[in-house]
Structure formats: structure tokens, C-alpha cells
């Protein structure tokens, strides 16, 4: 059996809210193989973004183990964690989070700037990634001069530029109409075919059912379902 790219066992996460303890994740386990394409669904407030923050090493669980590409995350200090995160994971968010004063090209270059890559190499890679998402001719536009779908494509190029094996997307189509949403999903499917492992959090059943696996979060637990087999027709 091959080593999974992500292996989580008995992960727990609680938040303190006033005097109350909120159990967001209770003993959650999940194994994700290289090349998987996963949709994570569940009602609002069920813990999808919390779980994504754990998967993306943006936050630490209270307990449980997390192996990311064979490395145990709990053993790493914050600096080591930042390095692993930068290497292994590209993030895509609902509201794109592009820097407004930078052009599309400069936004895509950013992760490489943080890695200390020289200007010429940075630009070459950034142009390649913009081409991959079909946006080469908009390279010198500012985010405000781009449509929502185009901004999300820039954000995907930025997530790709460091060539991370995993792409983690929290509601990547949440701010887009259905046609543009499908264009973004098609790009992600193409990246999955090229070998990227993709994890998408979504409220949109049309998006979820295109994934290879569907995992639902509810009441602190994960349930895996093949929606097409069990007749699920909504994500909430
Ligand atoms: N920092 C925090 N402190 C306290 N409670 C929190 C914190 N972050 C999230 N929560 C609570 O944890 C639960 C899960 O939140 P989370 O953002 O993961 O939900 P979600 O499934 O992503 O929801 P949505 O679909 O609305 O984005 C919610 O009840 C939320 O109020
Ligand atoms: Mg959320």
C-alpha cells in the first residue's frame, strides 16, 4: 500500500466560547491518497473551515495525529510548519485574497518571493501558471480590472506557482455564478488529472458531485458518502 499524502487519526478540536466548550471536531479520522479529489460538505457552522485550517496546518488540533506526506505535524515547531505548508499546500479562498495594488503577475509571484526565488525565475514561473489557467493576456491587470472568475484564476495560479502537491480550496466558487463556477472546477479537474491532490470545501452540490470522494462533516464527525450511490442531492 502506498503512503497516503494525508493521514489523520482521532483528531479533536474544541473552541472555548464564553464559559462553553464547543466540540467542533470529535475524533475525526481521514486518509487521502495522492491524486485524490475530495469534496468536503456539511451545514454552515459544522466545522468545514476549522477542518481545512487543520489540513492546511494553519491551526493545531487539541489531540490526534496528522501525517502530511509522511511527516508528523505535531512534532514540528511553527517555523518548520510554515516551511512544510509553503512546500506542500496551495490555498484558494472564496474571496480570492489578491493584493489590490499588485498586478495579476505580481500576485502570482508572491509565494516565490517569500521563498527567495530571483526575479527572472519568479516571473517565468508566474507567466507559466497564468498560462495554465488561461489568463496570460491579463497578466498586467490589477485585480480590480478583472472579473470574479478571472480573479479566482489568478488565485489558482498563485496557489500553483510553488508546485505544491496539494491544493486546498475553501468555497472556491462561493462568490461566482454557476457558469464561472464550472470553469473554475474544470481547471481544478485538469490539475487533478496532472497529479495534484485536491480538497474542496463547498456548499454547492453541483461542485461536490464532480469530486472523486465526498466527505460530510456533521455534529463533529466525518461521514464518507458516494452521493451518486446513496441518492444524496444536497450538501446541507
Ligand atoms: N475562533 C473561534 N472561537 C470560537 N468558536 C469558533 C471559532 N472559529 C469557529 N468557531 C465555531 O466553530 C464552529 C465551526 O466553524 P467553521 O467556521 O469551521 O464552520 P463552517 O462549516 O466552515 O461554516 P460555513 O459553512 O458557514 O463557512 C462554529 O460553531 C463556529 O462558531
Ligand atoms: Mg467555512
Amino acid at each position: 500500500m502506498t503512503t497516503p499524502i494525508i493521514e489523520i487519526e482521532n483528531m479533536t478540536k474544541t473552541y472555548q466560547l464564553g464559559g462553553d466548550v464547543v466540540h467542533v471536531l470529535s475524533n475525526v479520522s481521514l486518509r487521502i491518497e495522492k491524486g485524490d479529489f475530495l469534496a468536503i460538505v456539511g451545514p454552515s457552522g459544522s466545522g468545514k473551515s476549522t477542518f481545512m485550517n487543520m489540513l492546511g496546518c494553519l491551526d493545531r488540533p487539541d489531540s490526534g495525529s496528522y501525517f502530511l506526506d509522511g511527516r508528523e505535524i505535531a512534532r514540528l515547531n511553527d517555523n518548520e510548519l510554515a516551511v512544510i505548508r509553503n512546500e506542500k499546500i496551495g490555498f484558494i479562498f472564496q474571496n480570492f485574497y489578491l493584493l489590490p495594488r499588485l498586478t495579476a503577475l505580481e500576485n502570482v509571484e508572491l509565494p516565490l518571493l517569500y521563498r527567495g526565488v530571483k526575479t527572472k525565475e519568479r516571473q517565468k514561473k508566474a507567466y507559466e501558471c497564468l498560462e495554465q489557467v488561461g489568463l496570460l493576456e491579463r497578466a498586467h491587470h490589477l485585480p480590480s480590472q478583472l472579473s470574479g472568475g478571472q480573479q479566482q484564476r489568478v488565485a489558482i495560479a498563485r496557489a500553483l506557482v510553488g508546485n505544491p502537491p496539494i491544493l486546498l480550496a475553501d468555497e472556491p466558487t462561493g462568490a461566482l455564478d454557476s457558469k464561472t463556477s464550472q470553469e473554475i472546477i474544470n481547471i481544478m479537474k485538469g490539475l487533478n488529472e496532472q497529479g495534484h491532490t485536491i480538497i474542496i470545501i463547498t456548499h454547492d452540490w453541483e461542485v461536490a458531485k464532480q469530486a472523486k470522494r465526498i466527505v460530510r462533516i456533521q455534529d463533529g464527525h466525518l461521514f464518507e458518502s458516494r452521493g451518486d450511490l446513496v441518492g444524496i442531492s444536497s450538501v446541507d
Side-chain angles (χ1 to χ4, degrees):
M1 210 154 51
T2 55
T3 313
I5 193 150
I6 284 174
E7 191 163 31
I8 286 170
E9 265 180 42
N10 297 323
M11 182 182 276
T12 298
K13 179 72 181 175
T14 54
Y15 289 118
Q16 303 282 342
L17 207 62
D20 295 334
V21 180
V22 185
H23 292 270
V24 184
L25 303 172
S26 312
N27 284 314
V28 158
S29 299
L30 183 66
R31 184 186 161 100
I32 301 177
E33 307 294 337
K34 288 185 182 120
D36 254 348
F37 189 157
L38 224 87
I40 297 179
V41 303
S44 182
S46 59
K48 300 182 299 296
S49 295
T50 302
F51 189 49
M52 163 152 167
N53 289 343
M54 304 300 150
L55 287 171
C57 309
L58 295 164
D59 196 0
R60 290 177 188 271
D62 299 335
S63 62
S65 69
Y66 178 11
F67 285 84
L68 174 59
D69 215 1
R71 303 276 303 272
E72 187 169 14
I73 292 307
R75 292 179 186 277
L76 305 179
N77 66 33
D78 286 352
N79 286 338
E80 291 167 327
L81 205 56
V83 171
I84 290 284
R85 186 166 56 225
N86 185 284
E87 231 173 65
K88 303 286 181 196
I89 303 173
F91 292 92
I92 299 156
F93 297 96
Q94 176 169 358
N95 295 320
F96 328 128
Y97 290 132
L98 301 177
L99 295 186
R101 288 174 207 278
L102 300 185
T103 63
L105 185 76
E106 290 163 344
N107 267 287
V108 176
E109 280 180 52
L110 272 185
L112 298 180
L113 185 72
Y114 298 140
R115 280 192 201 179
V117 177
K118 297 259 177 355
T119 314
K120 230 176 152 184
E121 179 68 11
R122 269 198 331 255
Q123 289 184 346
K124 182 171 169 282
K125 289 233 165 77
Y127 276 123
E128 281 168 12
C129 290
L130 281 173
E131 186 169 25
Q132 219 176 337
V133 298
L135 219 60
L136 203 49
E137 74 280 12
R138 297 284 196 280
H140 301 290
H141 287 226
L142 294 171
S144 60
Q145 299 166 327
L146 298 170
S147 71
Q150 289 169 339
Q151 290 182 60
Q152 193 60 300
R153 284 197 265 163
V154 174
I156 293 174
R158 180 183 56 188
L160 278 177
V161 78
N163 200 27
I166 303 169
L167 292 179
L168 207 49
D170 194 350
E171 300 276 6
T173 63
L176 306 174
D177 63 61
S178 56
K179 180 172 169 283
T180 313
S181 170
Q182 188 56 48
E183 286 166 11
I184 294 298
I185 295 307
N186 289 344
I187 290 174
M188 296 189 121
K189 281 177 166 173
L191 294 170
N192 180 240
E193 276 161 22
Q194 288 168 27
H196 290 278
T197 304
I198 303 205
I199 304 163
I200 297 187
I201 291 174
T202 184
H203 270 107
D204 185 344
W205 182 248
E206 291 303 316
V207 170
K209 71 183 187 191
Q210 298 184 61
K212 291 176 178 166
R213 293 170 64 188
I214 299 174
V215 172
R216 174 185 294 269
I217 302 189
Q218 203 153 2
D219 302 323
H221 301 286
L222 292 190
F223 304 91
E224 179 137 12
S225 58
R226 286 276 307 278
D228 52 333
L229 292 182
V230 296
I232 292 173
S233 60
S234 109
V235 291
D236 298 325

